[in-house]
Amino acid sequence: MITLHHIPFSRSFRILWLLEEMGLRAELKTYSITDGSLRAAEFKAISPVGRVPALEIDGLTIYESGAIVEYLTETRPEHGLGRLPGDAERVAFLEWLGFAETQASILASLNMQHLFMGDPTPAAPATMKLEAARLASTLKAMDRALSEREWLLPSGFSAADTMMGFNLFSAPYFVHFDKFPHVAAYVERIEARPAYKEARLLDGRQEFYSKDFYEVPHG
Ligand SMILES: N[C@@H](CCC(=O)N[C@@H](CS)C(=O)NCC(=O)O)C(=O)O
């Protein structure tokens, strides 16, 4: 029995999708980001600052999406979705897992500024502009890598794609993708994957974004 602590359209999708790629199905415990359930003592016993994902598997409870990805790929190497020590792509694999959080932390800041700090908190246009530019530079790095290959690692699809690919749900709300054609084509390849499609059906409705694009307001 596998249990995934989950919020629709959040980083727990990385794990939902990876499990589908492995042919594994978790029971979902779904939370809302706004109703206080993440702050309950019961959930903090699972994830110390009340964040998703957390995964219960093999008698363990694991939080941090990167740690979960490493655990799943190392304990289930038959799926070929990790790059184990000794693999020529090991370092690149680990770099993408870390880079996914570099990029996601910028997205979290943009989400905070544009979506969650409503009236009467004043928006901070200078911060929004800076974070959008920092997000664009991470997309540029991805675009460069993807100009040479279909997936982030030269040998093919891996869990690095589930870590980074999830970020591309949110990124187009803040940066237009027309400058990043290889990233745009990569999103199409992701969306064509059967495991991704299945995970999207299981994910649930996003309740964050109410606009197609969030412009930086004039400060
Ligand atoms: N580095 C962590 C970040 C987890 C995280 O921040 N998750 C967000 C959802 S995408 C969350 O649970 N936010 C709830 C909150 O900040 O209260 C990971 O990769 O698992």
Side-chain angles (χ1 to χ4, degrees):
M1 160 98 169
I2 305 174
T3 304
L4 176 63
H5 297 267
H6 177 63
I7 294 175
F9 224 72
S10 82
R11 287 170 176 92
S12 48
F13 183 82
R14 292 168 169 164
I15 308 307
L16 186 60
W17 176 17
L18 179 58
L19 289 169
E20 285 298 314
E21 293 280 355
M22 292 180 158
L24 299 172
R25 190 54 68 83
E27 179 193 303
L28 296 185
K29 277 201 181 166
T30 301
Y31 301 79
S32 160
I33 209 157
T34 49
D35 69 1
S37 54
L38 295 174
R39 303 284 158 261
E42 190 192 2
F43 185 59
K44 283 200 174 170
I46 291 170
S47 175
V49 288
R51 305 275 184 108
V52 299
L55 187 71
E56 296 178 49
I57 189 167
D58 302 339
L60 299 167
T61 302
I62 317 171
Y63 60 90
E64 284 293 336
S65 58
I68 296 169
V69 162
E70 282 199 63
Y71 178 79
L72 287 175
T73 53
E74 287 169 19
T75 55
R76 285 144 178 94
E78 65 276 17
H79 301 289
L81 294 170
R83 299 296 182 269
L84 302 183
D87 190 298
E89 292 178 340
R90 172 70 173 173
V91 170
F93 177 70
L94 294 176
E95 283 174 343
W96 283 118
L97 298 195
F99 194 73
E101 278 302 279
T102 295
Q103 190 175 58
S105 64
I106 299 169
L107 287 164
S109 165
L110 283 162
N111 284 338
M112 190 65 81
Q113 290 282 332
H114 284 275
L115 310 178
F116 296 121
M117 290 174 64
D119 292 341
T121 311
T127 307
M128 292 169 169
K129 196 171 166 194
L130 177 68
E131 292 290 49
R134 278 154 52 90
L135 176 60
S137 83
T138 65
L139 291 167
K140 193 171 170 190
M142 281 183 90
D143 204 64
R144 202 178 310 121
L146 291 164
S147 68
E148 294 166 3
R149 48 190 181 260
E150 288 204 326
W151 304 107
L152 293 171
L153 297 176
S155 66
F157 184 85
S158 73
D161 296 294
T162 69
M163 282 292 285
M164 291 295 299
F166 153 74
N167 294 350
L168 302 176
F169 281 15
S170 302
Y173 288 100
F174 305 112
V175 170
H176 294 293
F177 274 23
D178 44 358
K179 284 196 197 121
F180 309 111
H182 304 294
V183 174
Y186 174 68
V187 170
E188 285 181 16
R189 286 193 288 281
I190 286 174
E191 288 174 349
R193 292 187 74 82
Y196 173 89
K197 287 186 200 171
E198 201 57 44
R200 284 307 299 265
L201 291 175
L202 297 169
D203 186 18
R205 267 173 61 84
Q206 70 94 5
E207 54 175 33
F208 308 129
Y209 302 108
S210 56
K211 297 197 247 178
D212 291 338
F213 191 81
Y214 290 81
E215 298 283 355
V216 175
H218 295 296

